[in-house]
Amino acid sequence: NAGVTQTPKFQVLKTGQSMTLQCAQDMNHNSMYWYRQDPGMGLRLIYYSASEGTTDKGEVPNGYNVSRLNKREFSLRLESAAPSQTSVYFCASTPLGQSYNEQFFGPGTRLTVL
Amino acid sequence: AQTVTQSQPEMSVQEAETVTLSCTYDTSESDYYLFWYKQPPSRQMILVIRQEAYKQQNATENRFSVNFQKAAKSFSLKISDSQLGDAAMYFCAYRSYDSNYQLIWGAGTKLIIKP
């Protein structure tokens, strides 16, 4: 089991460029999440997908879009990158039926927007 | 809205000694979950310990234990016999009982282990 994988690990963009962050999990989890982590702050939820075919906004969705391609994959797209989107991005997943919903995290993507 | 506060940006402890990391939270709910996650320099977020609010008994996982004070809305993490591998950022997080998505996170505490 690879767990939760993210690609790429690092990325540098220019303002206005677009890109998609990829996330996949092989644990048959139902729910998936995208977070951003900024210095001095905890993680903030961007979007989540409670199950295949559904997506919902989290705390900071502006400037992002997501796609739940299938049960395994959940991608995050930046249509027109801005310096304020410089951050570390984490994908996470949660199995169904677990009362406390432990979230399993990927290794993160460090994104810099110039 | 719920909030989570970690008032210690950085803590240091001598190897083999005990350290306590603080976390307070604000909520009007009676049922919820609390978590401590560890983030080493590799950036991987790892669950350390969890506590269900309806349980009065404090959770323990080997050298890690919590002091859960529901009335005071306090959830501290105690690490006994500190090891060099414990050096990391530690995050406290809150989740509502009936929510399957929203974790509310504290800003984190950087733990330094002195050899």
Side-chain angles (χ1 to χ4, degrees), chain A residues 52-91:
Chain A
E52 185 179 356
T54 69
T55 60
D56 283 286
K57 296 178 180 179
E59 181 184 356
V60 289
N62 291 346
Y64 305 95
N65 284 300
V66 290
S67 295
R68 183 75 183 267
L69 304 170
N70 47 55
K71 192 171 185 179
R72 290 186 64 250
E73 299 172 290
F74 188 39
S75 62
L76 178 72
R77 183 159 178 84
L78 287 70
E79 291 290 350
S80 179
S84 62
Q85 294 177 305
T86 293
S87 189
V88 179
Y89 291 85
F90 288 95
C91 178

Side-chain angles (χ1 to χ4, degrees), chain B residues 66-92:
Chain B
V66 298
N67 183 4
F68 173 48
Q69 302 288 329
K70 191 172 184 179
K73 298 179 183 176
S74 171
F75 183 60
S76 59
L77 175 70
K78 186 171 84 170
I79 306 174
S80 304
D81 186 25
S82 298
Q83 300 176 359
L84 294 178
D86 295 333
M89 286 290 292
Y90 286 82
F91 292 92
C92 178

Side-chain angles (χ1 to χ4, degrees), chain A:
Chain A
N1 270 359
V4 180
T5 58
Q6 293 182 235
T7 56
K9 286 188 169 49
F10 301 93
Q11 184 71 48
V12 178
L13 293 178
K14 295 181 180 178
T15 296
Q17 287 185 317
S18 63
M19 80 160 296
T20 300
L21 307 184
Q22 306 287 354
C23 174
Q25 50 89 12
D26 61 0
M27 298 176 284
N28 201 35
H29 288 176
N30 282 69
S31 300
M32 298 184 74
Y33 316 84
W34 275 106
Y35 290 95
R36 60 178 288 172
Q37 183 180 30
D38 300 299
M41 302 182 71
L43 278 67
R44 292 184 293 169
L45 184 66
I46 304 171
Y47 271 93
Y48 70 100
S49 171
S51 60
E52 185 179 356
T54 69
T55 60
D56 283 286
K57 296 178 180 179
E59 181 184 356
V60 289
N62 291 346
Y64 305 95
N65 284 300
V66 290
S67 295
R68 183 75 183 267
L69 304 170
N70 47 55
K71 192 171 185 179
R72 290 186 64 250
E73 299 172 290
F74 188 39
S75 62
L76 178 72
R77 183 159 178 84
L78 287 70
E79 291 290 350
S80 179
S84 62
Q85 294 177 305
T86 293
S87 189
V88 179
Y89 291 85
F90 288 95
C91 178
S93 68
T94 299
L96 185 67
Q98 192 182 66
S99 62
Y100 51 86
N101 284 127
E102 176 185 348
Q103 294 190 8
F104 295 80
F105 285 82
T109 295
R110 183 177 293 278
L111 175 66
T112 302
V113 183
L114 304 175

Side-chain angles (χ1 to χ4, degrees), chain A residues 9 33 35 37 40 42-43 45 48 50 90 99-103 105-108 110, chain B residues 33 35 37 39 42-45 47 50 52 91 95 99-103 105-107:
Chain A
K9 286 188 169 49
Y33 316 84
Y35 290 95
Q37 183 180 30
L43 278 67
L45 184 66
Y48 70 100
F90 288 95
S99 62
Y100 51 86
N101 284 127
E102 176 185 348
Q103 294 190 8
F105 285 82
R110 183 177 293 278
Chain B
Y33 299 98
F35 305 85
Y37 275 86
Q39 186 180 39
S42 67
R43 290 205 311 249
Q44 187 79 43
M45 296 288 280
L47 178 66
R50 66 179 183 270
E52 291 91 334
F91 292 92
R95 185 177 76 77
S99 165
N100 71 348
Y101 64 91
Q102 188 80 27
L103 277 176
W105 297 79

Side-chain angles (χ1 to χ4, degrees), chain B:
Chain B
Q2 296 86 9
T3 58
V4 176
T5 302
Q6 293 179 250
S7 58
Q8 306 154 315
E10 186 174 297
M11 292 282 286
S12 62
V13 64
Q14 207 71 34
E15 191 177 3
E17 296 195 342
T18 296
V19 64
T20 298
L21 308 184
S22 301
C23 173
T24 59
Y25 57 95
D26 188 27
T27 184
S28 59
E29 299 172 330
S30 58
D31 290 324
Y32 48 87
Y33 299 98
L34 295 163
F35 305 85
W36 278 99
Y37 275 86
K38 170 185 178 180
Q39 186 180 39
S42 67
R43 290 205 311 249
Q44 187 79 43
M45 296 288 280
I46 303 164
L47 178 66
V48 175
I49 199 165
R50 66 179 183 270
Q51 175 82 40
E52 291 91 334
Y54 62 86
K55 289 186 178 178
Q56 293 188 347
Q57 187 172 6
N58 289 325
T60 62
E61 288 287 342
N62 301 314
R63 297 183 295 108
F64 298 87
S65 61
V66 298
N67 183 4
F68 173 48
Q69 302 288 329
K70 191 172 184 179
K73 298 179 183 176
S74 171
F75 183 60
S76 59
L77 175 70
K78 186 171 84 170
I79 306 174
S80 304
D81 186 25
S82 298
Q83 300 176 359
L84 294 178
D86 295 333
M89 286 290 292
Y90 286 82
F91 292 92
C92 178
Y94 170 103
R95 185 177 76 77
S96 297
Y97 185 75
D98 60 356
S99 165
N100 71 348
Y101 64 91
Q102 188 80 27
L103 277 176
I104 310 297
W105 297 79
T109 296
K110 182 178 181 179
L111 179 63
I112 298 168
I113 310 294
K114 298 177 182 177

